[in-house]
Amino acid sequence: MSSIAAFYGGKSILITGATGFLGKVLMEKLFRTSPDLKVIYILVRPKAGQTLQQRVVQILNSKLFEKVKEVCPNVQEKIRAVYADLNQNDLAISNGDMQELLSCTNIVFHCAATVRFDDHLRHAVQLNVTATQKLLLMASQMPKLEAFIHISTAFSNCNLKHIDEVIYPCPVEPKKIIDSMEWLDDAIIDEITPKLIGDRPNTYTYTKALGEMVVHQEGGNLNIAIVRPSIVGATWQEPFPTGKGFLRALRATPMAVADVIPVDTVVNLTLAVGWYTAVHRPKSTLIYHCTSGNLNPCYWGKMGFQVLATFEKIPFERAFRRPYADLTTNTIITQYWNAVSHWAPAIIYDFYLRLTGRKPRMTKLMNRLLRTVSMLEYFVNRSWEWSTSNTEMLMSKLSPEDQRVFNFDVRQLNWLEYIENYVLGVKKYLLKEDMAGVPEAKQHLKRLRNIHYLFNTALFLIAWRLLMARSQMARNVWFFIVSFCYKFLSYFRAPSTLKV
């Protein structure tokens, strides 16, 4: 049996961010590999019209947990939802719940964070820094705690080219930042934000770096480890492998490394780190990079080509335009393509919707899409080097069975297969499209391709006709081309006539 799976048996585990992408996959893996664990506490803020238990049921009813229900039929009884709000300084946890968490918790996985790149600094500090500080204070009062695992990001120090498995100091102490957020008004915070984040691209990476500093400074005698994943993508192997043509151009460097890491790889490493930290009790806080670029690089240009090829093979239904994406490093060319290939079609389509009595929506959608893309430009135009000594050390400590069950060796990842599964997963599980509709979707793509060619041909002929009408030089060029073609064809016709 897997040593890691056996370790989590009978344990009481606290997961923050359990309703998020990474948190759900982490919870699923724990239940699937260690169905005899005692309980998983999840901190949940109820949504409007939904109780805590209804949110748990909603999570368990997703496709992700189908296998879990087979190996752990009583999974719902093992999830204990605790009301909490990480936006509040006291986390809004009741006294009764707090006492239960403090007295029972064995392992803490702190996954909660705001991942919005454009988040206001006050909110980002609250979720990524202050909440981490409060959880560490809670952890210091847990007599049964064996390990505290903090999920950060490989881009917390993206202002550096080479990043080691160490905690880098920030110019301003986290405590001073936390204190200042309590009394500064929004206008002043907006003014000082660029100076505080310095050469980092956004508040997300800056506050994640501050969060690491808090872990380092306030961890005390706790057994702590930090996991730094890069761009977390869909699952690679488990529990199931996972273009409508809106985005046509992107300012990106084709030869920059696309440091994407499958979410199940991140979860496997995180669980292995939890086991190693609790059992081997390292003398210092170890940091583990969960990245792919150093060991199995894939470049944005190659990835884009493979994604488009997969869209041709497995197209989405009712595509707006034929999938295509041009990667360029030139800002002027990017602005041109934004105007011609993004804004113009969106405006035309919204005009059509207005004429047919429907509500226009494409311009708003395109605005959101381009805004998101602009926030990603920093990351798709650069490459980084992350050292992975601790991650490789941990891999060497695992038994063959643990290496199989909790595989985080990205060298085994086949990017073409991963991308195909990614697109297939989006089609089946996000868009809810049936594979039986693929032939019709392919026919739709052919129609879009024909429309594209006809439109471009008509546009060229109209432009040429206008040019001919206004320019004597254009007419001279046209007559020269026609005359040359006629003489060229006549030259080949004459020898064939003589042979006859």
Side-chain angles (χ1 to χ4, degrees):
M1 184 179 177
S2 161
S3 300
I4 298 175
F7 165 75
Y8 288 106
K11 292 290 192 295
S12 298
I13 302 165
L14 170 61
I15 300 178
T16 69
T19 58
F21 177 45
L22 179 62
K24 287 178 184 176
V25 180
L26 177 63
M27 188 162 55
E28 188 276 340
K29 179 77 175 194
L30 276 167
F31 278 123
R32 185 159 46 86
T33 56
S34 304
D36 57 339
L37 62 80
K38 187 176 181 180
V39 65
I40 291 183
Y41 296 105
I42 61 173
L43 301 186
V44 182
R45 185 175 62 177
K47 288 183 176 179
Q50 274 190 320
T51 64
L52 297 182
Q53 200 56 36
Q54 285 174 333
R55 292 201 68 183
V56 171
V57 171
Q58 185 181 34
I59 292 171
L60 293 178
N61 285 341
S62 67
K63 190 80 175 176
L64 178 68
F65 284 85
E66 282 188 354
K67 290 184 180 180
V68 165
K69 292 176 182 177
E70 296 174 8
V71 299
C72 186
N74 62 335
V75 59
Q76 188 170 336
E77 299 171 10
K78 294 196 173 193
I79 298 177
R80 167 85 160 83
V82 175
Y83 176 84
D85 186 355
L86 300 188
N87 286 306
Q88 303 296 322
N89 285 334
D90 61 354
L91 305 184
I93 301 175
S94 69
N95 290 333
D97 288 340
M98 180 65 77
Q99 289 305 313
E100 183 177 350
L101 291 175
L102 295 181
S103 61
C104 299
T105 302
N106 303 120
I107 310 288
V108 175
F109 292 106
H110 180 32
C111 306
T114 174
V115 296
R116 286 180 55 189
F117 288 173
D118 61 344
D119 211 350
H120 192 270
L121 183 60
R122 188 196 303 279
H123 187 245
V125 167
Q126 176 62 42
L127 283 180
N128 294 346
V129 189
T130 307
T132 300
Q133 184 187 53
K134 299 303 180 184
L135 282 164
L136 286 167
L137 179 61
M138 283 177 57
S140 67
Q141 303 172 62
M142 295 175 176
K144 297 181 181 179
L145 187 69
E146 299 176 45
F148 184 104
I149 311 303
H150 176 70
I151 308 299
S152 185
T153 172
F155 298 103
S156 58
N157 301 287
C158 60
N159 52 323
L160 305 175
K161 172 68 176 176
H162 179 85
I163 303 168
D164 289 316
E165 293 167 309
V166 299
I167 295 176
Y168 293 90
C170 296
V172 182
E173 285 292 312
K175 288 182 179 179
K176 293 182 179 179
I177 299 294
I178 293 172
D179 292 341
S180 65
M181 292 299 115
E182 294 181 0
W183 58 271
L184 290 176
D185 61 36
D186 287 347
I188 296 177
I189 292 176
D190 290 339
E191 185 178 343
I192 65 173
T193 294
K195 298 175 184 177
L196 287 174
I197 67 176
D199 50 0
R200 286 183 174 87
N202 50 50
T203 57
Y204 168 69
T205 56
Y206 174 64
T207 53
K208 292 301 281 185
L210 287 175
E212 290 185 5
M213 282 289 293
V214 166
V215 171
H216 175 66
Q217 293 175 349
E218 304 191 22
N221 296 321
L222 298 173
N223 283 330
I224 298 178
I226 296 174
V227 178
R228 288 177 179 164
S230 52
I231 303 171
V232 182
T235 58
W236 164 24
Q237 295 175 321
E238 52 184 328
F240 49 80
T242 307
K244 295 276 186 178
F246 292 110
L247 186 64
R248 312 287 293 176
L250 175 66
R251 194 170 79 86
T253 303
M255 290 308 295
V257 175
D259 210 299
V260 175
I261 194 79
V263 66
D264 51 335
T265 302
V266 180
V267 164
N268 287 341
L269 174 61
T270 300
L271 292 175
V273 167
W275 162 79
Y276 184 81
T277 304
V279 173
H280 294 272
R281 302 177 69 89
K283 294 180 180 180
S284 61
T285 299
L286 295 184
I287 295 153
Y288 300 85
H289 283 148
C290 193
T291 58
S292 61
N294 286 16
L295 300 173
N296 187 5
C298 184
Y299 303 94
W300 287 113
K302 181 180 179 182
M303 181 172 284
F305 176 80
Q306 291 179 347
V307 168
L308 292 175
T310 306
F311 282 149
E312 292 285 343
K313 188 190 302 184
I314 315 171
F316 295 160
E317 296 174 11
R318 299 182 298 276
F320 177 61
R321 297 177 70 187
R322 181 168 167 257
Y324 174 79
D326 179 54
L327 303 184
T328 177
T329 58
N330 189 293
T331 304
I332 296 176
I333 293 176
T334 303
Q335 291 175 347
Y336 167 78
W337 282 118
N338 281 343
V340 173
S341 291
H342 294 147
W343 290 117
I347 292 170
I348 292 170
Y349 187 71
D350 276 351
F351 180 69
Y352 164 75
L353 290 177
R354 287 182 185 276
L355 288 178
T356 54
R358 287 177 286 178
K359 184 179 179 180
R361 54 187 173 85
M362 194 56 64
T363 305
K364 185 178 180 180
L365 177 64
M366 190 60 68
N367 184 46
R368 288 173 54 193
L369 177 63
L370 293 181
R371 185 180 178 185
T372 302
V373 167
S374 68
M375 290 187 288
L376 295 174
E377 285 185 356
Y378 180 92
F379 302 96
V380 296
N381 283 283
R382 291 167 174 81
S383 298
W384 289 267
E385 297 173 0
W386 287 278
S387 62
T388 54
S389 302
N390 290 338
T391 305
E392 291 173 28
M393 175 278 295
L394 179 58
M395 195 180 301
S396 69
K397 298 291 184 181
L398 302 189
S399 67
E401 180 65 8
D402 281 330
Q403 289 181 3
R404 183 188 69 81
V405 178
F406 297 91
N407 180 24
F408 53 86
D409 187 358
V410 293
R411 291 171 294 190
Q412 301 174 17
L413 178 60
N414 182 310
W415 284 109
L416 177 59
E417 181 182 317
Y418 172 74
I419 290 169
E420 287 184 354
N421 287 334
Y422 197 121
V423 173
L424 183 61
V426 170
K427 181 177 179 67
K428 290 174 66 176
Y429 301 113
L430 291 183
L431 300 179
K432 310 293 184 183
E433 295 181 359
D434 194 337
M435 292 301 292
V438 168
E440 173 57 32
K442 287 184 176 180
Q443 289 297 320
H444 180 64
L445 281 191
K446 286 183 180 179
R447 289 192 292 269
L448 290 176
R449 186 187 297 113
N450 293 337
I451 291 171
H452 174 74
Y453 291 151
L454 286 172
F455 178 79
N456 285 350
T457 302
L459 192 64
F460 172 78
L461 291 175
I462 292 171
W464 184 249
R465 182 69 185 85
L466 293 174
L467 191 63
M468 288 275 290
R470 294 175 177 271
S471 172
Q472 181 62 43
M473 181 178 291
R475 289 194 291 272
N476 293 340
V477 170
W478 174 249
F479 291 136
F480 171 78
I481 292 173
V482 171
S483 176
F484 177 81
C485 291
Y486 177 78
K487 291 179 180 179
F488 184 74
L489 292 173
S490 299
Y491 174 80
F492 282 100
R493 286 178 58 194
S496 60
T497 305
L498 290 174
K499 287 180 182 179
V500 174

